[in-house]
Short mmCIF file of all heavy atoms in Angstrom, two decimals:
data_model
loop_
_atom_site.label_atom_id
_atom_site.label_comp_id
_atom_site.label_asym_id
_atom_site.label_seq_id
_atom_site.Cartn_x
_atom_site.Cartn_y
_atom_site.Cartn_z
N ILE A 62 -4.00 -43.73 -9.22
CA ILE A 62 -3.62 -45.01 -8.56
C ILE A 62 -4.80 -45.78 -8.20
O ILE A 62 -4.80 -47.00 -8.37
CB ILE A 62 -2.86 -44.65 -7.21
CG1 ILE A 62 -1.57 -43.91 -7.57
CG2 ILE A 62 -2.50 -45.89 -6.51
CD1 ILE A 62 -0.84 -43.25 -6.30
N GLY A 63 -5.96 -45.12 -7.74
CA GLY A 63 -7.13 -45.82 -7.47
C GLY A 63 -7.70 -46.56 -8.75
O GLY A 63 -8.24 -47.70 -8.65
N ALA A 64 -7.71 -45.88 -9.92
CA ALA A 64 -8.06 -46.52 -11.21
C ALA A 64 -7.26 -47.84 -11.51
O ALA A 64 -7.72 -48.84 -12.03
CB ALA A 64 -8.10 -45.57 -12.33
N HIS A 65 -5.96 -47.72 -11.22
CA HIS A 65 -5.05 -48.81 -11.52
C HIS A 65 -5.24 -49.95 -10.54
O HIS A 65 -5.21 -51.17 -10.88
CB HIS A 65 -3.67 -48.36 -11.38
CG HIS A 65 -2.52 -49.35 -11.65
ND1 HIS A 65 -2.17 -49.78 -12.94
CD2 HIS A 65 -1.74 -50.02 -10.82
CE1 HIS A 65 -1.31 -50.72 -12.81
NE2 HIS A 65 -0.99 -50.90 -11.56
N LYS A 66 -5.62 -49.62 -9.17
CA LYS A 66 -5.67 -50.66 -8.22
C LYS A 66 -7.09 -51.17 -8.15
O LYS A 66 -7.28 -52.35 -7.67
CB LYS A 66 -5.38 -50.07 -6.80
CG LYS A 66 -3.97 -49.55 -6.63
CD LYS A 66 -2.87 -50.65 -6.73
CE LYS A 66 -2.92 -51.34 -5.41
NZ LYS A 66 -1.85 -52.47 -5.45
N GLY A 67 -8.08 -50.39 -8.61
CA GLY A 67 -9.45 -51.01 -8.57
C GLY A 67 -10.21 -50.58 -7.36
O GLY A 67 -11.32 -51.03 -7.18
N TYR A 68 -9.64 -49.77 -6.48
CA TYR A 68 -10.32 -49.41 -5.25
C TYR A 68 -9.77 -47.88 -4.81
O TYR A 68 -8.70 -47.49 -5.29
CB TYR A 68 -10.17 -50.49 -4.21
CG TYR A 68 -8.76 -50.76 -3.87
CD1 TYR A 68 -8.01 -49.96 -2.97
CD2 TYR A 68 -8.19 -51.95 -4.28
CE1 TYR A 68 -6.71 -50.32 -2.68
CE2 TYR A 68 -6.93 -52.32 -4.13
CZ TYR A 68 -6.10 -51.58 -3.17
OH TYR A 68 -4.82 -51.93 -2.89
N LYS A 69 -10.44 -47.40 -3.97
CA LYS A 69 -10.11 -46.05 -3.46
C LYS A 69 -8.90 -45.98 -2.65
O LYS A 69 -8.70 -46.88 -1.75
CB LYS A 69 -11.30 -45.38 -2.73
CG LYS A 69 -11.07 -43.87 -2.39
CD LYS A 69 -12.40 -43.31 -1.71
CE LYS A 69 -12.26 -41.83 -1.46
NZ LYS A 69 -13.48 -41.37 -0.75
N VAL A 70 -7.97 -45.09 -2.87
CA VAL A 70 -6.73 -45.05 -2.15
C VAL A 70 -6.57 -43.58 -1.64
O VAL A 70 -7.20 -42.61 -2.10
CB VAL A 70 -5.62 -45.39 -2.96
CG1 VAL A 70 -5.61 -46.85 -3.46
CG2 VAL A 70 -5.29 -44.47 -4.13
N GLN A 71 -5.68 -43.48 -0.65
CA GLN A 71 -5.26 -42.18 -0.16
C GLN A 71 -3.73 -41.90 -0.43
O GLN A 71 -2.93 -42.79 -0.42
CB GLN A 71 -5.39 -42.01 1.38
CG GLN A 71 -5.11 -40.68 1.93
CD GLN A 71 -5.20 -40.74 3.49
OE1 GLN A 71 -5.48 -41.69 4.11
NE2 GLN A 71 -4.83 -39.60 4.16
N VAL A 72 -3.50 -40.73 -0.85
CA VAL A 72 -2.08 -40.29 -1.23
C VAL A 72 -1.64 -39.32 -0.21
O VAL A 72 -2.26 -38.29 0.07
CB VAL A 72 -2.02 -39.74 -2.60
CG1 VAL A 72 -0.59 -39.08 -2.82
CG2 VAL A 72 -2.02 -40.92 -3.59
N GLN A 73 -0.41 -39.40 0.26
CA GLN A 73 0.24 -38.43 1.17
C GLN A 73 1.56 -38.01 0.53
O GLN A 73 2.39 -38.80 0.13
CB GLN A 73 0.52 -38.91 2.58
CG GLN A 73 -0.77 -39.18 3.45
CD GLN A 73 -0.42 -39.67 4.85
OE1 GLN A 73 0.83 -39.75 5.15
NE2 GLN A 73 -1.36 -39.95 5.67
N VAL A 74 1.74 -36.71 0.43
CA VAL A 74 2.89 -36.12 -0.04
C VAL A 74 3.67 -35.43 1.16
O VAL A 74 3.11 -34.53 1.75
CB VAL A 74 2.74 -35.09 -1.17
CG1 VAL A 74 4.13 -34.57 -1.72
CG2 VAL A 74 1.93 -35.72 -2.35
N ARG A 75 4.82 -35.98 1.49
CA ARG A 75 5.57 -35.41 2.68
C ARG A 75 6.94 -34.90 2.19
O ARG A 75 7.52 -35.29 1.28
CB ARG A 75 5.83 -36.60 3.65
CG ARG A 75 4.60 -37.32 4.15
CD ARG A 75 4.90 -38.62 4.97
NE ARG A 75 3.81 -39.23 5.41
CZ ARG A 75 3.87 -40.53 5.98
NH1 ARG A 75 4.99 -41.10 6.24
NH2 ARG A 75 2.73 -41.06 6.32
N PRO A 76 7.43 -33.93 3.02
CA PRO A 76 8.76 -33.38 2.76
C PRO A 76 9.77 -34.41 3.02
O PRO A 76 9.61 -35.23 4.06
CB PRO A 76 8.95 -32.13 3.54
CG PRO A 76 7.91 -32.34 4.69
CD PRO A 76 6.83 -33.15 4.09
N LYS A 77 10.97 -34.55 2.37
CA LYS A 77 11.98 -35.42 2.56
C LYS A 77 12.59 -35.35 4.05
O LYS A 77 13.06 -36.31 4.56
CB LYS A 77 13.14 -35.31 1.58
CG LYS A 77 12.71 -36.08 0.35
CD LYS A 77 13.98 -36.17 -0.62
CE LYS A 77 13.57 -36.86 -1.91
NZ LYS A 77 14.74 -36.95 -2.84
N SER A 78 12.46 -34.10 4.62
CA SER A 78 12.86 -33.96 5.93
C SER A 78 12.19 -34.88 7.06
O SER A 78 12.76 -35.14 8.18
CB SER A 78 12.80 -32.42 6.34
OG SER A 78 11.47 -32.17 6.42
N GLN A 79 11.03 -35.40 6.65
CA GLN A 79 10.29 -36.21 7.52
C GLN A 79 10.63 -37.68 7.23
O GLN A 79 10.15 -38.58 7.93
CB GLN A 79 8.80 -35.95 7.38
CG GLN A 79 8.39 -34.72 7.82
CD GLN A 79 6.84 -34.50 7.74
OE1 GLN A 79 6.13 -35.31 7.25
NE2 GLN A 79 6.36 -33.25 8.06
N GLN A 80 11.34 -38.02 6.13
CA GLN A 80 11.64 -39.41 5.73
C GLN A 80 12.44 -40.11 6.86
O GLN A 80 13.36 -39.59 7.31
CB GLN A 80 12.33 -39.45 4.41
CG GLN A 80 12.30 -40.84 3.81
CD GLN A 80 12.65 -40.66 2.23
OE1 GLN A 80 13.12 -39.62 1.90
NE2 GLN A 80 12.67 -41.79 1.58
N GLN A 81 11.90 -41.22 7.29
CA GLN A 81 12.50 -42.10 8.29
C GLN A 81 12.56 -41.32 9.65
O GLN A 81 13.33 -41.68 10.54
CB GLN A 81 13.92 -42.55 7.94
CG GLN A 81 14.05 -43.28 6.65
CD GLN A 81 15.47 -43.56 6.28
OE1 GLN A 81 16.46 -42.95 6.70
NE2 GLN A 81 15.67 -44.51 5.37
N HIS A 82 11.66 -40.39 9.74
CA HIS A 82 11.54 -39.79 11.12
C HIS A 82 10.12 -40.05 11.69
O HIS A 82 9.24 -40.67 10.92
CB HIS A 82 11.62 -38.24 11.00
CG HIS A 82 13.08 -37.86 10.75
ND1 HIS A 82 13.72 -37.94 9.51
CD2 HIS A 82 13.91 -37.36 11.59
CE1 HIS A 82 14.93 -37.44 9.64
NE2 HIS A 82 15.05 -37.00 10.86
N THR A 83 9.88 -39.70 12.88
CA THR A 83 8.52 -39.84 13.44
C THR A 83 7.49 -39.16 12.72
O THR A 83 7.63 -37.97 12.42
CB THR A 83 8.48 -39.38 14.89
OG1 THR A 83 9.53 -40.18 15.62
CG2 THR A 83 7.09 -39.75 15.57
N PRO A 84 6.44 -39.74 12.25
CA PRO A 84 5.40 -39.11 11.38
C PRO A 84 4.72 -37.85 12.16
O PRO A 84 4.69 -37.97 13.44
CB PRO A 84 4.33 -40.14 11.08
CG PRO A 84 4.61 -41.20 12.15
CD PRO A 84 6.04 -41.17 12.39
N PRO A 85 4.33 -36.87 11.51
CA PRO A 85 3.79 -35.70 12.29
C PRO A 85 2.48 -36.04 12.88
O PRO A 85 1.77 -36.96 12.49
CB PRO A 85 3.58 -34.72 11.08
CG PRO A 85 3.45 -35.55 9.81
CD PRO A 85 4.33 -36.64 10.07
N LYS A 86 2.12 -35.42 13.97
CA LYS A 86 1.01 -35.62 14.75
C LYS A 86 -0.17 -35.14 13.87
O LYS A 86 -0.15 -34.19 13.21
CB LYS A 86 1.00 -34.86 16.08
CG LYS A 86 2.11 -35.33 16.97
CD LYS A 86 2.07 -34.56 18.33
CE LYS A 86 3.09 -35.04 19.35
NZ LYS A 86 3.07 -34.29 20.53
N PRO A 87 -1.31 -35.86 13.89
CA PRO A 87 -2.49 -35.33 13.16
C PRO A 87 -2.98 -34.15 13.69
O PRO A 87 -2.83 -33.85 14.86
CB PRO A 87 -3.45 -36.62 13.44
CG PRO A 87 -3.03 -37.24 14.64
CD PRO A 87 -1.60 -37.17 14.68
N LEU A 88 -3.72 -33.46 12.81
CA LEU A 88 -4.37 -32.23 13.28
C LEU A 88 -5.42 -32.46 14.31
O LEU A 88 -6.06 -33.43 14.28
CB LEU A 88 -5.03 -31.50 11.99
CG LEU A 88 -4.06 -30.91 10.98
CD1 LEU A 88 -4.85 -30.63 9.69
CD2 LEU A 88 -3.36 -29.68 11.54
N ASN A 89 -5.50 -31.52 15.19
CA ASN A 89 -6.65 -31.47 16.14
C ASN A 89 -7.83 -31.13 15.41
O ASN A 89 -8.12 -29.90 15.05
CB ASN A 89 -6.15 -30.45 17.26
CG ASN A 89 -7.33 -30.49 18.33
OD1 ASN A 89 -8.40 -31.00 18.17
ND2 ASN A 89 -7.06 -29.96 19.54
N LEU A 90 -8.68 -32.06 15.16
CA LEU A 90 -9.91 -31.83 14.25
C LEU A 90 -10.90 -30.96 15.01
O LEU A 90 -11.75 -30.29 14.35
CB LEU A 90 -10.53 -33.16 13.94
CG LEU A 90 -9.67 -34.06 12.98
CD1 LEU A 90 -10.42 -35.31 12.73
CD2 LEU A 90 -9.31 -33.36 11.76
#
Side-chain angles (χ1 to χ4, degrees):
I62 298 171
H65 180 79
K66 300 291 287 185
Y68 53 83
K69 189 175 181 180
V70 302
Q71 180 185 0
V72 166
Q73 288 184 4
V74 182
R75 303 172 183 172
K77 278 190 177 177
S78 59
Q79 293 180 1
Q80 198 165 5
Q81 297 178 345
H82 288 74
T83 304
K86 294 180 181 179
L88 287 168
N89 183 342
L90 295 179

